[in-house]
Amino acid sequence: MKVVLIGVGQAGGKVTQSLAQFDYDMGFDAVRGALAVNTARADLQNLDIDTALIGQDRVKGHGVGGDNELGAQIMQENATEVLDELDGRITTEAEAIVVVAGLGGGTGSGGAPMLARELKRIYEKPVYVLGILPGRDEGGLYQANAGRSLKTAAREADSLLLVDNDAWRGSGDSVAAGFERVNDAISQRVGLLFASGEAVEGVGESVVDSSEIINTLRGGGIASIGYASAEASEDAGENVNTITSVTRNALLTSMSLPNAVKADSALLVVAGDPERLSRKGIERARRWVEDQTGSMEVRGGDFPLGSDKVASLVVLSGVERSERVNEFMDRAKEAANSQGATADPDEFTNDELDGLF
């Protein structure tokens, strides 16, 4: 699946660079362009990908200070400049555009939904937002920002692929180590998802096509992604239970949005050496995902990859009614109230995804 990445804000830029680097290191060639956009000059200086500084007339290159309404305004005012930077990158070869952002800061949480809106206005390709929720320890402003941004991004994008920062951080991690761990986890999971459909090594029996990713996410709303792997036997017949086991681990213990299992649709990608992949195991795992999610729209297939391991990648779409999302929205509402925000009482409820603009 050929994609163009646009990182917005500090976290968005770092994750975009990490995704582009993973894709390059693995030789997938799925990322066809990467750009980081920010209002803070300092956040762009250590990035190796192309960058664009916006809002200089408003904030002089110093960022928006966590004000996501200002972040949205600056993105709207500078949309033409950003789109000009993308000119020539979004070609007919690209199958989707992915806007990447941390949803707690000002530039990312405000700018990403606005940029998604502008991109959808111009391009007919799917526009997805990869959004990262702040951890519980990142402060009330970040929680409140993320609540509003989450709702707006889910409305504006064709799908919001959500990552809960607390899901993949280790309990003993420092802040820096925690962010690095999350970035690595995102790169591996989302990078493999983008690479699906691109037969890198060998020939699979039923290779997942990029259209299956697009169709899985077609319903919109909020999506999540999980991954797990294990050593594989050289005999495919002995890997039937292994495939089921790693699929179970991916769905129940490793999703980017924990405890959100019920979904409208799902995709199962089983990666590994084609000689070690069991068709029976993949189909059994796919039916298990059907049972767990309650969805009759579960696609499945394999991804040929030279490895001694077998891995399962699970994508769930339509998880916005989950307990985990409701729990976060309640936290965001509480944070907004504690800061004296005068938000609409219904703004943070989860039955209507609306919020920032």
Side-chain angles (χ1 to χ4, degrees), residues 12 44 67 69 72 101 103 131 140 147 153 173 214-215 219 242 247 272 275 286 291 297 304 310 346 350:
L44 296 174
D67 185 342
E69 291 190 7
L103 300 186
D173 283 346
I214 293 170
N215 287 331
T242 304
T247 301
E275 298 298 322
R286 190 195 66 78
D291 292 340
E297 192 179 337
V310 62
D346 296 326
N350 192 23

Side-chain angles (χ1 to χ4, degrees), residues 36-355:
V37 181
N38 210 324
T39 58
R41 181 179 286 105
D43 292 339
L44 296 174
Q45 290 175 343
N46 294 323
L47 299 178
D48 297 326
I49 57 177
D50 293 335
T51 62
L53 180 66
I54 61 172
Q56 294 185 69
D57 56 331
R58 298 283 295 271
V59 296
K60 313 301 181 188
H62 298 302
V64 298
D67 185 342
N68 62 354
E69 291 190 7
L70 178 57
Q73 291 169 12
I74 289 176
M75 182 60 76
Q76 185 175 34
E77 293 165 2
N78 292 266
T80 300
E81 179 185 337
V82 175
L83 293 171
D84 285 346
E85 288 284 345
L86 293 169
D87 190 35
R89 302 171 195 267
I90 305 176
T91 64
T92 55
E93 192 176 43
E95 296 168 283
I97 305 167
V98 183
V99 179
V100 185
L103 300 186
T107 302
S109 68
M114 181 60 76
L115 180 57
R117 171 187 282 189
E118 292 299 313
L119 289 166
K120 283 190 66 177
R121 185 173 61 81
I122 294 173
Y123 296 99
E124 295 184 358
K125 308 174 189 295
V127 176
Y128 304 126
V129 170
L130 171 57
I132 302 127
L133 292 176
R136 291 176 180 271
D137 58 352
E138 291 185 51
L141 174 63
Y142 283 80
Q143 310 296 322
N145 277 352
R148 299 182 70 194
S149 182
L150 182 159
K151 297 175 61 140
T152 314
R155 185 190 69 205
E156 298 298 334
D158 287 298
S159 182
L160 167 61
L161 184 56
L162 202 58
V163 176
D164 187 334
N165 226 331
D166 290 330
W168 295 330
R169 285 169 64 178
S171 57
D173 283 346
S174 66
V175 173
F179 287 149
E180 185 175 349
R181 184 193 296 267
V182 171
N183 285 358
D184 289 345
I186 292 171
S187 299
Q188 181 186 52
R189 289 153 174 80
V190 179
L192 285 172
L193 177 63
F194 293 159
S196 296
E198 303 295 325
V200 177
E201 297 187 37
V203 179
E205 290 189 33
S206 179
V207 177
V208 171
D209 185 82
S210 58
S211 64
E212 293 176 277
I213 301 172
I214 293 170
N215 287 331
T216 299
L217 300 175
R218 193 179 299 280
I222 296 173
S224 64
I225 187 169
Y227 170 90
S229 66
E231 293 293 332
S233 168
E234 292 184 4
D235 182 355
E238 295 181 9
N239 291 327
V240 173
N241 290 335
T242 304
I243 291 172
T244 304
S245 177
V246 294
T247 301
R248 181 181 290 112
N249 289 340
L251 181 62
L252 300 182
T253 68
S254 185
M255 295 301 292
S256 63
L257 195 62
N259 305 322
V261 175
K262 298 301 179 184
D264 294 337
S265 60
L267 173 67
L268 169 64
V269 181
V270 180
D273 186 327
E275 298 298 322
R276 302 182 185 216
L277 296 182
S278 162
R279 173 56 39 198
K280 179 181 178 182
I282 295 173
E283 180 54 28
R284 179 184 292 180
R286 190 195 66 78
R287 289 198 303 268
W288 180 82
V289 173
E290 273 187 353
D291 292 340
Q292 295 297 308
T293 60
S295 171
M296 296 302 293
E297 192 179 337
V298 178
R299 298 170 176 85
D302 55 280
F303 177 21
L305 197 62
S307 175
D308 294 336
K309 294 185 176 183
V310 62
S312 284
L313 187 74
V314 178
V315 179
L316 302 183
S317 180
V319 297
E320 56 270 11
R321 294 177 299 279
S322 70
E323 182 179 332
R324 186 72 168 199
V325 173
N326 285 329
E327 176 189 320
F328 180 81
M329 297 307 284
D330 287 342
R331 202 162 82 218
K333 181 178 181 180
E334 183 179 327
N337 289 339
S338 71
Q339 295 187 33
T342 56
D344 185 313
D346 296 326
E347 183 176 356
F348 290 94
T349 57
N350 192 23
D351 57 353
E352 184 177 320
L353 293 170
D354 195 6

